[in-house]
Amino acid sequence: MSEMQQYVQDVLDLVKKRDPDQVEFQNTVKEVLTTIVPVLEENPKYKAAKLLERMVEPERIVTFRVPWTDDKGEVQVNRGYRVQMNSAIGPYKGGLRFHPSVNLSILKFLAFEQVFKNSLTTLPIGGGKGGSDFDPKGKSDNEVMKFCQSFMTELYRHIGPHVDVPAGDIGVGGREIGFLFGQYKRIRDAYDSAVLTGKGLTYGGSLTRTEATGYGLLYFVKNMLDSKNISLEGKTVVISGAGNVAIYAIQKAQEFGAKVVTCSDSNGYVYDPNGINLDVVKQIKEVERGRIKEYVNRVQGAEYHEGCRGVWTVKCDIALPCATQSEIDLDSAKTLAANGCKVVGEGANMPSTLEAIQYFLDNKILFAPAKAANAGGVAVSALEMSQNSERLSWTFEEVDERLKGIMKNIYENAKKYAEKFGDPDNLVMGSNCAGFVKVAEAMMAQGLV
Ligand code: NDP
Ligand code: 2IT
């Protein structure tokens, strides 16, 4: 083992020793640190400055009680969090997740990913993540509002346009951001537009933000495929999820001429051999907030299968996981490959396990890693902050053009580092190195903080 490999191993051991239960966090730290060894070898000063030890320790974590009353008048108590991971290159930036599975390990993993993802966008944003174990499923609008108001009544003291700028993630979309913004404004008694992103268009939101993560994923994948002279036209695509990321990934994939045959939620997946009818999905998920199995009652020839993992058994050329972490394990990765899948692009955060990623790389499946491929959402969030500062709104076309440019730049930067360190198709290594370098240099310049 080289000196820097040993350094990385020591830091991984430290992370495990400090928080033995935080498996998701340990995995993402491992994914990043084991791939940046070549950068550490070029810069021994990072080890001397204990840079990795500092990076794996969040700058600040807040957890808080969120009490609220449901429609029956019963008291409910949830737990709220904000992990402020790294502010070297800008205010903490990253989404809020409302899902019963939320815990500190998941939020630390998401915040750690966010630091390098945000760096890749080239925009001045640090990394953070937050959320709650609140489950929005089955709750009325009134209950969601009460929860959001209580959540913000504590969170407001930790955020601000120059401090920390949350946005959406699983379970947090336009409705929740609206309630959160209203309560923040009421408490602060000031119109700080850029305290949250993903806002509605009537109060400081940016055109294209809703579409940005899904569109950005397809722009990234298209760049990757163009470099191999592969067209998206006529390709069969399997997508998981039916939320914000999945819906706009389906839309852009279809615009590029691909045939998307699946979508899913946590209960099961839909297979539509004629190609997913996106209007029906939008009606079910965005308007009715219903379950995806409804799809088969409205579209002839479509099938519904219980269990979301089954989606990876559907034959495809391209797989785009857009639901949640660890949805593709080694078995699913092998099944995809055996069925002829040649390309995987991650719309969700860490949807492939470490073993699945290694399998894709070893088997020459073109792999677009999450922190590069899904960075379009946060990139347009940063553009929303720019528009708020200017007190101007850009057109859809202008934001979309910038998004395309940002995704191309991320792809090229990741590719550049992958080539530099001798593994040209390994965009996991390439994007980790590219994202890491900027954060590392900013931290070095700012002294021991
Ligand atoms: P949404 O809440 O809009 O949609 C999430 C989708 O994934 C739903 O279909 C949901 O099904 C499904 N899902 C959630 N949890 C699970 C689970 N444990 N098992 C199976 N399916 C599940 O979230 P987003 O679309 O915003 O987020 C999807 C992914 O993309 C997440 O990993 C998120 O971190 C990532 N991401 C989001 C960005 C954004 O801008 N929104 C930006 C970059 C990444 P159900 O309705 O049954 O819960
Ligand atoms: O994972 C992510 O990048 C997001 N959920 C978006 C974060 C943001 O600040 O827009």
Side-chain angles (χ1 to χ4, degrees):
M1 218 185 247
S2 72
E3 184 193 351
M4 290 306 163
Q5 282 169 332
Q6 186 61 55
Y7 175 39
V8 163
Q9 191 53 52
D10 291 346
V11 175
L12 296 181
D13 291 343
L14 176 76
V15 167
K16 202 166 182 171
K17 190 166 159 233
R18 281 216 170 125
D19 297 295
D21 301 336
Q22 296 182 357
V23 177
E24 292 86 356
F25 181 57
Q26 288 162 21
N27 283 343
T28 195
V29 171
K30 187 171 174 190
E31 190 246 309
V32 174
L33 298 196
T34 53
T35 58
I36 55 149
V37 171
V39 177
L40 298 175
E41 272 160 1
E42 277 188 348
N43 296 278
K45 62 184 179 180
Y46 295 160
K47 178 170 180 252
K50 294 224 158 113
L51 203 72
L52 298 186
E53 290 88 330
R54 284 192 271 151
M55 277 187 183
V56 297
E57 197 56 37
E59 289 177 19
R60 184 178 301 104
I61 298 177
V62 289
T63 72
F64 47 93
R65 178 203 303 158
V66 190
W68 56 284
T69 44
D70 65 21
D71 287 348
K72 290 191 232 116
E74 276 175 29
V75 174
Q76 303 285 343
V77 184
N78 286 99
R79 185 175 283 180
Y81 304 85
R82 188 72 182 163
V83 177
Q84 298 180 329
M85 189 59 91
N86 194 304
S87 62
I89 63 178
Y92 310 107
K93 180 89 197 81
L96 296 172
R97 178 176 290 192
F98 292 169
H99 193 272
S101 64
V102 162
N103 60 35
L104 205 48
S105 175
I106 289 179
L107 293 180
K108 280 174 70 180
F109 123 63
L110 290 164
F112 193 73
E113 281 284 293
Q114 199 82 48
V115 171
F116 304 104
K117 179 196 306 193
N118 293 2
S119 165
L120 283 169
T121 67
T122 71
L123 301 166
I125 39 179
K129 202 88 187 188
S132 173
D133 57 2
F134 173 74
D135 185 359
K137 270 198 205 81
K139 304 287 191 300
S140 68
D141 286 351
N142 184 51
E143 288 174 323
V144 171
M145 182 178 75
K146 280 191 190 156
F147 173 81
C148 288
Q149 290 180 340
S150 182
F151 184 86
M152 185 53 87
T153 301
E154 175 60 34
L155 185 69
Y156 88 93
R157 66 189 88 239
H158 309 291
I159 63 174
H162 303 289
V163 179
D164 185 352
V165 184
D169 193 80
I170 292 178
V172 178
R175 173 182 62 170
E176 290 74 20
I177 294 292
F179 295 148
L180 291 164
F181 184 75
Q183 185 72 352
Y184 179 89
K185 183 167 67 66
R186 185 182 186 197
I187 297 173
R188 282 273 195 229
D189 199 17
Y191 210 104
D192 284 339
S193 289
V195 66
L196 290 166
T197 60
K199 298 182 295 294
L201 298 176
T202 51
Y203 62 96
S206 172
L207 286 160
T208 324
R209 175 62 188 89
T210 307
E211 296 84 357
T213 312
Y215 279 20
L217 170 65
L218 267 295
Y219 295 152
F220 189 95
V221 168
K222 187 170 185 311
N223 276 292
M224 188 170 76
L225 295 186
D226 283 349
S227 77
K228 305 278 179 195
N229 290 316
I230 303 171
S231 164
L232 275 155
E233 186 83 40
K235 294 290 183 300
T236 299
V237 179
V238 157
I239 289 187
S240 64
N244 172 262
V245 179
I247 284 174
Y248 294 96
I250 294 173
Q251 185 160 312
K252 193 50 83 176
Q254 291 177 340
E255 269 179 51
F256 282 151
K259 184 177 182 186
V260 181
V261 292
T262 63
C263 61
S264 68
D265 61 22
S266 51
N267 294 109
Y269 74 94
V270 163
Y271 170 65
D272 188 341
N274 299 316
I276 291 290
N277 181 328
L278 198 56
D279 290 338
V280 173
V281 176
K282 282 187 178 178
Q283 175 66 24
I284 295 169
K285 294 312 259 187
E286 291 185 338
V287 181
E288 299 167 20
R289 297 181 188 277
R291 307 309 297 160
I292 202 64
K293 71 172 168 208
E294 263 298 304
Y295 185 94
V296 292
N297 299 333
R298 304 182 196 188
V299 180
Q300 276 202 340
E303 299 165 15
Y304 175 72
H305 300 268
E306 283 291 333
C308 44
R309 281 272 167 92
V311 73
W312 310 122
T313 63
V314 175
K315 194 170 159 42
C316 65
D317 304 303
I318 299 172
L320 303 176
C322 295
T324 193
Q325 66 275 357
S326 308
E327 45 173 326
I328 301 183
D329 59 9
L330 182 58
D331 281 347
S332 299
K334 286 180 179 170
T335 306
L336 280 167
N339 285 337
C341 174
K342 296 273 185 304
V343 180
V344 176
E346 296 188 316
N349 283 308
M350 280 286 266
S352 315
T353 63
L354 295 181
E355 297 75 25
I357 294 175
Q358 197 54 51
Y359 185 84
F360 292 140
L361 295 176
D362 290 346
N363 287 278
K364 300 282 166 228
I365 287 177
L366 292 175
F367 182 72
K371 70 172 74 60
N374 75 27
V378 76
V380 173
S381 276
L383 301 181
E384 181 174 332
M385 292 164 72
S386 304
Q387 294 168 76
N388 294 153
S389 301
E390 288 190 325
R391 297 175 191 276
L392 291 172
S393 303
W394 306 340
T395 62
F396 188 94
E397 289 69 27
E398 176 162 6
V399 183
D400 194 33
E401 276 311 306
R402 285 183 190 247
L403 172 62
K404 273 184 206 155
I406 290 167
M407 297 315 294
K408 185 164 196 285
N409 186 267
I410 294 174
Y411 170 74
E412 283 170 356
N413 206 10
K415 183 84 181 154
K416 185 181 88 184
Y417 275 90
E419 280 168 359
K420 176 175 172 187
F421 295 124
D423 198 353
D425 285 328
N426 186 344
L427 298 179
V428 178
M429 180 265 280
S431 54
N432 284 339
C433 290
F436 175 82
V437 165
K438 184 177 176 191
V439 181
E441 282 304 306
M443 285 178 74
M444 292 300 287
Q446 292 171 27
L448 186 57
V449 292

